[in-house]
């Protein structure tokens, strides 16, 4: 705004009215800036929320795969322990038989 326009406005309607108009213009300008910042912030929040949801879903799938793998490993370990136990019993029985033959 030019100084001559401001001076002319003050002379025609008075200083308080001009200042009230300037304040209204300034408040409107600040409100518009705040609205723009809020829009940008909201867009960033939405994008971050989408990324977070995608990451959570990927982690859920990974956890399901890990659970399946753990179940398979547990079953394999159970079978291996059972097989080792059987073989240990067989070895023990064989040693007992050998020991009885020697005695």
């Amino acid at each position: 705004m030019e100084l001559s326009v401001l001076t002319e406005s003050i002379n025609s309607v008075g200083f308080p009215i001009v200042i009230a108009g300037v304040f209204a213009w300034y408040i409107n300008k600040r409100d518009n800036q705040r609205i723009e910042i809020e829009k940008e912030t909201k867009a960033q929040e939405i994008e971050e929320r989408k990324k977070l949801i995608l990451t959570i879903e990927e982690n859920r799938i990974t956890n399901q795969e890990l659970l399946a793998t753990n179940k398979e490993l547990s079953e394999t370990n159970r079978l291996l322990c059972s097989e080792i136990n059987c073989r240990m019993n067989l070895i023990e029985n064989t040693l007992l038989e050998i020991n009885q033959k020697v005695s």
Side-chain angles (χ1 to χ4, degrees), residues 26-61:
Y26 177 75
I27 290 170
N28 185 45
K29 180 180 174 184
R30 294 289 297 204
D31 284 348
N32 289 338
Q33 288 174 343
R34 184 184 47 80
I35 289 169
E36 286 300 315
I37 290 171
E38 287 176 357
K39 283 180 184 178
E40 291 172 7
T41 303
K42 187 161 187 115
Q44 287 175 347
E45 288 174 355
I46 290 170
E47 192 62 33
E48 289 173 0
R49 190 172 289 128
K50 286 178 182 178
K51 288 178 183 178
L52 181 61
I53 290 170
L54 180 63
T55 302
I56 289 170
E57 182 62 21
E58 289 171 352
N59 286 341
R60 187 189 62 77
I61 291 169

Side-chain angles (χ1 to χ4, degrees), residues 17 24 26 44-45 67 78 80 83-84 91:
I17 294 174
Y26 177 75
Q44 287 175 347
E45 288 174 355
L67 283 172
R78 187 187 65 75
L80 284 173
E83 181 67 25
I84 289 172
I91 291 170

Side-chain angles (χ1 to χ4, degrees), residues 9-30:
S9 298
I10 290 172
N11 288 335
S12 64
V13 292
F15 181 77
I17 294 174
V18 171
I19 291 302
V22 168
F23 282 156
W25 171 81
Y26 177 75
I27 290 170
N28 185 45
K29 180 180 174 184
R30 294 289 297 204

Side-chain angles (χ1 to χ4, degrees), residues 70-86:
N70 283 342
K71 283 182 181 179
E72 186 178 328
L73 284 172
S74 294
E75 182 63 19
T76 303
N77 285 343
R78 187 187 65 75
L79 293 172
L80 284 173
C81 287
S82 176
E83 181 67 25
I84 289 172
N85 191 28
C86 288

Side-chain angles (χ1 to χ4, degrees), residues 82-99:
S82 176
E83 181 67 25
I84 289 172
N85 191 28
C86 288
R87 289 186 185 206
M88 290 296 287
N89 287 336
L90 183 63
I91 291 170
E92 185 178 341
N93 289 337
T94 305
L95 286 174
L96 285 173
E97 286 176 13
I98 293 171
N99 198 16

